[in-house]
Amino acid sequence: MAASVVKTPKCPRRGSAKEQQSKASPKSNNESNNWHWWILLASVFLITFATRFYKVTEPDHICWDETHFGKMGSWYINRTFFFDVHPPLGKMLIGLSGYLTGYNGTFPFEKPGDKYNETAYQGMRYFCTTLGALIMPMGFDTVYDLTRSHEAALLSAAYLIFDVGLLTLNQYILLDPILLFFMMGSVWGMVKISKATASGGSYSVRWWFWLFLTGTMLSCTISVKFVGLFVVLLVGLHTATELWLILGDLGQPIVETLKQIACRAIALILWPILLYTLFFYIHLSVLNRSGNGDGFYSSAFQSRLIGNSLYNASMPRDVAYGSVVTIKNHKTGGGYLHSHFHLYPKGSGARQQQITTYTHKDDNNKWVIKPHNKQRLPKDKLQLLRHGDLVRLEHLVTKRNLHSHSEPAPMTKKHLQVTGYGESGVGDANDVWRVLIVGGKVNETVHTVTSRLMLIHYLQNCALTSSGKQLPKWGFEQQEVSCNLNVRDKYAHWNVEDNEHKLLPSVSFSVYAPGFFARFLESHAVMLQGNAGLKPKEGEVTSRPWQWPINYRGQFFSGSSYRIYLLGNPVIWWSNLVFLALFVAVFLGNAILEQRRAGQARALARSHADSEDSEHSTTDEPLCTCCPVEQQLLRRPWEDHSDPLRAAAWLFVGWLLHYLPFWAMGRVLYFHHYFPALIFNSLLTGVMFHHIIQSLPRWIQHVLLGGLLSLIAYSFALFSPLAYGMSGPLANEPNSTMHSLKWLSTWEF
């Protein structure tokens, strides 16, 4: 793929008669190749769209993650702010496709299995399916450009078309078909740039078109999911390799390398960054109404959301005793200090009332600030809260005080437990906390929103903190609150968000509303933290990376009487592994052979030089690059744009980049995370098949290709009910129509 622009001088010697004959009619050969290419491409389009759009609107109920992304599409239509761990482009496109096809954004998308009834959901499915279907023609053209082989391109496309897993993932309202489309578009553009550069077309309109298209696709890929970074790395490595080869072309001035670097920096770095920022600007402009995701963001961020309590807020600037406040953890994505009537269970410290942080707003987030030594203040007396004051915090709803003691916290055993204690605001000395303003001075007044606070327990000398650990079901999967004996804990910072007090004058908080770039940066911090903190829910089917390539277990998309099961076509997935192993073996063997040949060539060159007489050795005649010895010395395998092994090597790098990083991820992982790597593996299979059989007679090549295509088409017909819908008994029952296809006991269809 990394094409060299080095041009070797033409050899004065005439080739063989056969070579001259083959060069005599390049026009007719090109016309024939073009016709074959168009016929095959049309076939790929036809079969792809026929398989993808068949039963695309069935089942007519919510399947799997449609409940999430359909709901987010609705929120874009309604302009309601929400939190998600992925960048916004994919959800924006889903919302736009629904809006343009008549969906009004009112369907609740509550849970899988809910009937759509009269909801116009079809447009969103058609949109996602169309993008998923375009992957196959792009894959076909990409492999053809890499190998100039119709057979390799057709087989790669067939491996993508006839995989029932990819088909299933394409047909629903999901981010995956959108992500895979933009990823494949990035690779397609990358290869087109390489082809144009190698043919001397740099700086042409066509070359610029492919550069900017690739930059656009890269930006869109990472704007759908952060895993798009992997294809950015692939294109970056490939581009760096091309620039290195251009730098090594001594026939070109150094200025040429600088021009290439500048052009690619504009189209592949600056342009994608600009687009990425634009997508977020649209996202934050459209979602301007308060929603259930507000609590994941800072108080200042929320002040820009219409309907939020902080939007154009008018509330007291100062905090006083008797104020009813909400207290928000200051870390990225931090929740509100929260309590409810439920107790800690046995074995989790003292069986007192639970204290948590909760990212959604409700009345259980409200606290009353009281003096440490008095139950109440006189009604008409105003006393401001200041740096260093001792206070009690009474939970407004349950009337219990914020409390800590020497019991270990339920999750973080090195911390102390924090509970709600007392009756009607009456507790004990373990309810007393010292309020400190971070960087504050004596008698400095605590301010709403802007003051960063620490709450230090008076007796235990520990800092109230949010450990970031999620509580089990008994804690409603909210975040643990504990008291850290290390008072330098960076998560022990809080701020007052809502503030109510009858005696304090209100002021407008619009001055604290952040600008776009502050919200842009905070959005990324919250998303990255949310991504890292994703944990499996109870009973949820997850998987590990070692299970994916071997098709160990699938995922139910619909578990009702009309069943859809995400599982790869085993013939395709397992043969992909065979060709992956063959590539590694062939590539290593070829590298050893090339090294041996290079050594032999150097030995022959030395022998040839020693045999020359002094008269010939002092001439200024250039080496003949067509002579066997010099040809082997000067030959560089990457200069052949259609070298199958070099093409396969880049596809293998693409597979590695989209597979290996998942081994290092601590977040919850699912089977569908493997499908980007699967696409690279399927393209690699077509290239390796062509490389292995290309030395055979043409009729044998066609027989082998026809046999393999027939096998995968037949396997698709067998396993297609997984994607198109199954009914009746499960496969583990002998009377099931799918019983004979349950090849692994871990398959659950």
Side-chain angles (χ1 to χ4, degrees), residues 495-555:
N495 68 269
V496 172
E497 182 169 290
D498 295 298
N499 180 13
E500 303 171 18
H501 197 293
K502 293 180 180 179
L503 301 181
L504 285 171
S506 296
V507 298
S508 174
F509 274 75
S510 59
V511 67
Y512 301 111
F516 164 70
F517 283 105
R519 291 189 296 152
F520 175 78
L521 294 174
E522 183 175 341
S523 295
H524 282 78
V526 172
M527 283 189 296
L528 292 171
Q529 180 171 291
N531 240 316
L534 283 177
K535 304 297 179 187
K537 298 176 182 177
E538 190 174 334
E540 191 175 24
V541 177
T542 62
S543 57
R544 295 302 305 163
W546 69 266
Q547 299 174 343
W548 302 341
I550 61 175
N551 215 21
Y552 180 77
R553 174 188 284 170
Q555 170 78 50

Side-chain angles (χ1 to χ4, degrees), residues 630-647:
E630 289 82 356
Q631 189 176 31
Q632 291 198 35
L633 280 170
L634 295 175
R635 177 179 174 270
R636 284 183 277 186
W638 55 76
E639 290 181 356
D640 179 11
H641 184 64
S642 60
D643 175 28
L645 268 188
R646 182 172 51 83

Side-chain angles (χ1 to χ4, degrees), residues 513-659:
F516 164 70
F517 283 105
R519 291 189 296 152
F520 175 78
L521 294 174
E522 183 175 341
S523 295
H524 282 78
V526 172
M527 283 189 296
L528 292 171
Q529 180 171 291
N531 240 316
L534 283 177
K535 304 297 179 187
K537 298 176 182 177
E538 190 174 334
E540 191 175 24
V541 177
T542 62
S543 57
R544 295 302 305 163
W546 69 266
Q547 299 174 343
W548 302 341
I550 61 175
N551 215 21
Y552 180 77
R553 174 188 284 170
Q555 170 78 50
F556 264 112
F557 265 42
S558 174
S560 65
S561 57
Y562 191 94
R563 302 189 304 278
I564 306 293
Y565 191 70
L566 176 67
L567 185 74
N569 183 333
V571 174
I572 289 176
W573 285 52
W574 295 342
S575 61
N576 264 342
L577 293 181
V578 172
F579 282 102
L580 200 67
L582 282 174
F583 163 75
V584 173
V586 172
F587 186 82
L588 291 176
N590 187 73
I592 294 170
L593 186 61
E594 286 291 327
Q595 184 67 11
R596 296 292 296 172
R597 284 176 175 171
Q600 184 182 21
R602 286 192 293 270
L604 288 172
R606 285 194 296 269
S607 175
H608 180 71
D610 292 342
S611 64
E612 292 287 336
D613 56 60
S614 58
E615 180 181 352
H616 289 91
S617 64
T618 56
T619 62
D620 294 330
E621 292 181 6
L623 290 174
C624 171
T625 58
C626 295
C627 298
V629 174
E630 289 82 356
Q631 189 176 31
Q632 291 198 35
L633 280 170
L634 295 175
R635 177 179 174 270
R636 284 183 277 186
W638 55 76
E639 290 181 356
D640 179 11
H641 184 64
S642 60
D643 175 28
L645 268 188
R646 182 172 51 83
W650 279 108
L651 294 173
F652 181 71
V653 171
W655 178 81
L656 287 177
L657 287 174
H658 286 80
Y659 176 58

Side-chain angles (χ1 to χ4, degrees), residues 1 185-195 214 234-235 238:
M1 281 189 282
S186 301
V187 178
W188 185 44
M190 175 184 78
V191 174
K192 290 293 186 182
I193 296 168
S194 182
K195 180 182 175 184
T214 305
L234 175 65
V235 175
H238 179 269

